[in-house]
Amino acid sequence: MSTKITITTYDWVPEFAHGYVRDIRVRWLCEEIGRDYDIETVPVREKSAEHYSRQPFGQVPILTDGDLSLFESGAILLYLAEGSPLLPEGQNRAIATQWLIASLNSVEPYAMKWAEAKFFTKDEALAARCEKPLRERLKQVQNGLGDREWLAGDSFSVADLMMSDVLRAPANNGLLDDLPGLASYLERSTSRPAFGRAMADHMAHWRAADERLAASE
Ligand SMILES: N[C@@H](CCC(=O)N[C@@H](CS)C(=O)NCC(=O)O)C(=O)O
């Protein structure tokens, strides 16, 4: 019997980050594989030594499973997906791993540079400059997907979960409007009931955090 796991996320984040804190990836995976989890929080404002001892970069998400504490959303997804259909066997496992790493290593850095300029520092000129290489990467992902339904094999895998999560912010800001193949792929992923449940819980968490903050002011 598997143990109850805990996902660590922040106690609060600004509104623009609602929907995008990376605990959503872990919540989504848990919903896909039917794994129960608890949520615990760490302060976003004053990060503790204990937080750094579990996540050397002072980030979230962190997963706790018994005496295992794991950071990096990609590592967490690969760990939790083990033995489930989301991590296929044989060659498709290697291909799923390849695309999961590609989403984190070859696409997300471009999306993050753009998002940092657009939403964190609100530097529109820099955001516009970052948009060009990001659009190029998005086109390349669409080409890489080709006319396949999913990235690895015939069914939805951890690679699709991670790639889709990386694509959401660009998509929600119009950057997939001229990439119909990739837009349909993302729609296929995010219309999965597991994503809907994970996102509802994720948003409820931030709503409760806002209410707590308002009550304390
Ligand atoms: N590569 C890490 C990135 C984690 C990450 O950037 N987490 C964000 C929240 S979504 C965070 O904690 N940001 C605050 C910070 O970097 O100080 C992963 O995929 O887990």
Side-chain angles (χ1 to χ4, degrees), residues 50-118:
E50 201 265 336
H51 182 177
Y52 282 103
S53 76
R54 298 179 62 209
Q55 215 293 3
F57 312 108
Q59 297 179 319
V60 301
I62 305 168
L63 176 79
T64 313
D65 184 6
D67 58 8
L68 173 70
S69 181
L70 206 58
F71 65 89
E72 281 299 336
S73 58
I76 295 170
L77 292 201
L78 288 169
Y79 171 73
L80 288 177
E82 186 68 56
S84 84
L86 266 74
L87 191 58
E89 295 297 325
Q91 287 193 351
N92 281 337
R93 184 193 188 95
I95 292 171
T97 310
Q98 161 196 277
W99 276 109
L100 178 139
I101 292 175
S103 62
L104 293 173
N105 205 33
S106 301
V107 184
E108 185 162 55
Y110 292 84
M112 277 312 292
K113 265 195 194 156
W114 162 82
E116 267 167 28
K118 195 161 178 71

Side-chain angles (χ1 to χ4, degrees), residues 10 21-22 25 47 58-61 72-73:
Y10 285 126
V21 181
R22 289 171 177 80
R25 299 171 177 177
K47 295 181 184 174
Q59 297 179 319
V60 301
E72 281 299 336
S73 58

